[in-house]
Amino acid sequence: MKDYKILFTGSVCSGKTTAIRSLSDIETLDTDASASDVTVRRKKNTTIAMDYGVLELTSDARVHLYGTPGQERFRFMWEMLACEFAHDAIGMVLMVDNTRKDPFRDIRFYAKEFSDYLLKRRLIIAVTHSDVEPSPDYQEYLSALKNLGIMTTVMFIDARDPRAVLGIVEELISAVERNIDWDSVCDRLLDNNGFTLDFYKPLYEETLLDAAMNKRGVLGAMHLGDEQEILCSNIDDKPTKNLMRNIDRLTDAISDKAGFLGKVNNVVLAGPDVQTLSVFNDKSQSLCLCSDRDISLPVLKQQASDLLQWSIENDYLA
Amino acid sequence: MTIWREMQDEGLILYGCLMFGGELKRSSFPAEYKKHLAVAKQSLTYIFRSVEKNAKGYDEAHMEIGDNLFSGFRLDKDSVVIFLSEHDANTLHIRQFIEDNKKRFFDLLNDSQPA
Ligand SMILES: Nc1nc2c(ncn2[C@@H]2O[C@H](COP(=O)(O)OP(=O)(O)O)[C@@H](O)[C@H]2O)c(=O)[nH]1
């Protein structure tokens, strides 16, 4: 049996877990644990250890897929993966979430972190979430990489689509392993995943929090009901949650008492060195967001109104 | 020209007021906006008090209500300047104006002449 290895890395939410899950023949070992000691999580279950999956290519070749934990405080795991589990990997896939504020910065960061590792291996840059944020586009990636002096292949993929992720594996493995019938591997994957060819239908139902985290600059979100009860939240910090619930309560009171002014639409708190906190009201629900302080108020308002609308349309998911 | 008038002319705000230690010290809100002023004062005072209890580093709060925007900026521990603007006012420009004119606001607070 020939065993190949591929290492997936990239920022939190870039799609590593999803990519490995959409390829693996075994139940993926994803050691997602709730990272309760960080104040604001990028998403509910952040990969803190590693993802692992296996894909059979032929009766005597398979590929092991390793995913690094996204958070920097688990950097020690990166080294362990690079030096032990995946020291003999044939390539590294850097997943880049196109909705990030500066996707090229992520590339610079990871290319530097893994520079030694990459001396002897191929790098593929897999850009995800381009369905949500199309810019920067392929050409812009090529020229940015050229400027960075990074020679690599760029592929735009949706990590939820096994065919797209398999394309990366093929790109890496076909150079060394010639007799693989990629079409039949692909068919098998689609069968396994019960994948509908309706590509635009998401494989996993998105929750409001997922949808919020997919917005540019959003670092945390909380969904409140009529009585300020928390419907869901990935903001951990208690005082922050208290503050937002207090403000939501205040806005209800003002809408009642100062009816001549109209309803309170939103409250936004900002400061020079802190994340922007905002509370958006909509009839019987409110959405609270922690965002990057560089996001402007109009953008924030647009994001929140999209999300609240989304939440009404997807009521059954909330 | 008063600072309020200047901001009004620049299209930043409609009216403004200065609070010190929870008390109204200066105001350009006209009499027919008495109720607006009351809502602005109470809600922003409440918000800043709640912020103080729960978070650090916030010196700016905006509340959009109907077509109005009430904004509060903390100048220091005890002083807050509050504005009423159109709901789509450019808050970045307002913030910038305050940063550029902080001293004038303090002067206005310390000035015993009625504003
Ligand atoms: N819209 C969109 N969502 C994606 C894409 N790739 C991954 N996702 C979603 O992004 C979220 C985060 O992915 P995940 O695999 O958990 O990221 P990880 O932190 O890198 O492991 C999941 O909800 C995925 O379904 C993509 O290309 N487009």
Side-chain angles (χ1 to χ4, degrees):
Chain A
M1 178 67 89
K2 270 194 220 146
D3 288 289
Y4 297 99
K5 293 177 181 177
I6 297 177
L7 181 63
F8 288 77
T9 191
S11 63
V12 176
C13 273
S14 57
K16 301 178 294 291
T17 307
T18 312
I20 292 177
R21 195 173 288 159
S22 56
L23 288 190
S24 186
D25 289 313
I26 58 163
E27 274 295 308
T28 46
L29 167 74
D30 89 48
T31 33
D32 265 19
S34 58
S36 54
D37 53 340
V38 272
T39 40
V40 176
R41 285 179 261 146
R42 271 282 291 176
K43 57 172 194 168
K44 198 163 194 159
N45 294 303
T46 290
T47 312
I48 60 157
M50 64 166 185
D51 293 305
Y52 171 70
V54 182
L55 170 66
E56 304 278 341
L57 298 173
T58 64
S59 54
D60 59 3
R62 63 188 173 183
V63 56
H64 301 260
L65 313 157
Y66 296 90
T68 63
Q71 290 169 311
E72 278 188 47
R73 66 194 182 95
F74 294 105
R75 263 193 197 179
F76 67 94
M77 284 288 302
W78 299 0
E79 198 171 314
M80 209 162 97
L81 274 164
C83 301
E84 291 175 29
F85 294 105
H87 72 280
D88 50 353
I90 87 166
M92 183 170 102
V93 181
L94 170 53
M95 315 262 310
V96 179
D97 174 353
N98 220 33
T99 63
R100 300 263 293 181
K101 201 170 98 200
D102 184 355
F104 300 143
R105 200 183 70 178
D106 288 349
I107 295 181
R108 285 197 299 276
F109 174 77
Y110 285 95
K112 185 152 167 277
E113 276 305 302
F114 288 93
S115 58
D116 286 344
Y117 191 68
L118 288 171
L119 286 177
K120 284 176 276 162
R121 283 171 197 86
R122 271 195 70 189
L123 169 68
I124 290 196
I125 292 187
V127 181
T128 58
H129 296 87
S130 62
D131 52 326
V132 184
E133 176 57 64
S135 149
D137 65 14
Y138 182 70
Q139 283 306 329
E140 290 170 285
Y141 269 91
L142 289 191
S143 50
L145 287 166
K146 202 168 152 216
N147 289 338
L148 289 172
I150 300 177
M151 294 278 290
T152 178
T153 309
V154 179
M155 300 172 89
F156 274 59
I157 65 156
D158 187 316
R160 299 166 299 182
D161 181 356
R163 293 169 301 179
V165 190
L166 186 64
I168 300 178
V169 175
E170 181 176 351
E171 175 74 23
L172 285 170
I173 306 244
S174 58
V176 289
E177 180 76 48
R178 292 191 189 277
N179 45 14
I180 297 173
D181 181 355
W182 292 100
D183 287 340
S184 72
V185 176
C186 186
D187 288 345
R188 199 186 75 233
L189 278 176
L190 294 181
D191 285 348
N192 283 0
N193 278 308
F195 191 75
T196 54
L197 283 175
D198 175 10
F199 174 56
Y200 293 100
K201 187 162 167 266
L203 275 182
Y204 304 104
E205 284 170 329
E206 224 185 7
T207 66
L208 176 64
L209 292 187
D210 286 336
M213 299 318 283
N214 270 332
K215 298 277 178 194
R216 187 176 287 255
V218 173
L219 304 165
M222 176 164 74
H223 191 192
L224 298 179
D226 219 357
E227 308 278 325
Q228 284 77 44
E229 73 278 18
I230 299 179
L231 300 175
C232 60
S233 167
N234 60 11
I235 298 171
D236 274 341
D237 187 55
K238 267 231 178 80
T240 304
K241 288 203 282 200
N242 274 342
L243 176 58
M244 289 173 143
R245 290 172 74 193
N246 280 346
I247 287 179
D248 191 43
R249 196 169 295 127
L250 169 78
T251 61
D252 281 358
I254 296 176
S255 298
D256 273 357
K257 287 201 184 122
F260 67 99
L261 283 170
K263 292 246 175 277
V264 177
N265 304 321
N266 57 67
V267 172
V268 177
L269 300 175
D273 311 304
V274 285
Q275 294 171 7
T276 299
L277 303 180
S278 51
V279 178
F280 292 86
N281 289 324
D282 186 69
K283 296 177 199 85
S284 59
Q285 58 169 349
S286 303
L287 176 68
C288 308
L289 297 175
C290 294
S291 334
D292 192 297
R293 56 175 292 271
D294 294 333
I295 299 293
S296 71
L297 208 54
V299 171
L300 197 60
K301 281 193 209 169
Q302 185 57 48
Q303 291 179 337
S305 101
D306 290 351
L307 288 167
L308 285 165
Q309 187 55 38
W310 183 95
S311 144
I312 294 167
E313 284 163 11
N314 294 272
D315 204 16
Y316 60 97
L317 289 178
Chain B
M1 186 160 54
T2 67
I3 201 161
W4 313 119
R5 185 62 202 277
E6 192 176 323
M7 292 185 79
Q8 203 177 6
D9 286 352
E10 285 188 29
L12 295 174
I13 64 159
L14 298 172
Y15 309 110
C17 69
L18 266 169
M19 312 264 299
F20 182 84
E23 260 181 66
L24 184 67
K25 294 293 181 188
R26 288 280 180 276
S27 164
S28 76
F29 280 75
E32 63 273 28
Y33 276 81
K34 212 170 71 188
K35 282 184 173 172
H36 288 69
L37 177 61
V39 173
K41 260 172 24 186
Q42 283 175 22
S43 50
L44 287 163
T45 304
Y46 177 92
I47 290 172
F48 280 123
R49 209 178 293 142
S50 189
V51 165
E52 210 161 284
K53 269 190 233 147
N54 294 291
K56 279 204 190 74
Y58 291 90
D59 59 1
E60 178 179 339
H62 304 278
M63 181 171 78
E64 187 183 318
I65 169 162
D67 288 330
N68 313 280
L69 181 71
F70 292 117
S71 304
F73 294 83
R74 288 185 81 132
L75 301 174
D76 65 13
K77 201 162 73 36
D78 302 308
S79 325
V80 179
V81 55
I82 289 175
F83 303 112
L84 167 64
S85 322
E86 310 272 1
H87 73 103
D88 53 359
N90 189 328
T91 53
L92 282 179
H93 288 176
I94 302 180
R95 170 190 262 284
Q96 192 58 48
F97 185 94
I98 293 171
E99 272 167 25
D100 296 344
N101 294 276
K102 226 171 183 171
K103 182 167 175 308
R104 290 175 66 197
F105 284 106
F106 282 122
D107 288 348
L108 191 58
L109 259 184
N110 297 328
D111 184 4
S112 53
Q113 302 298 311

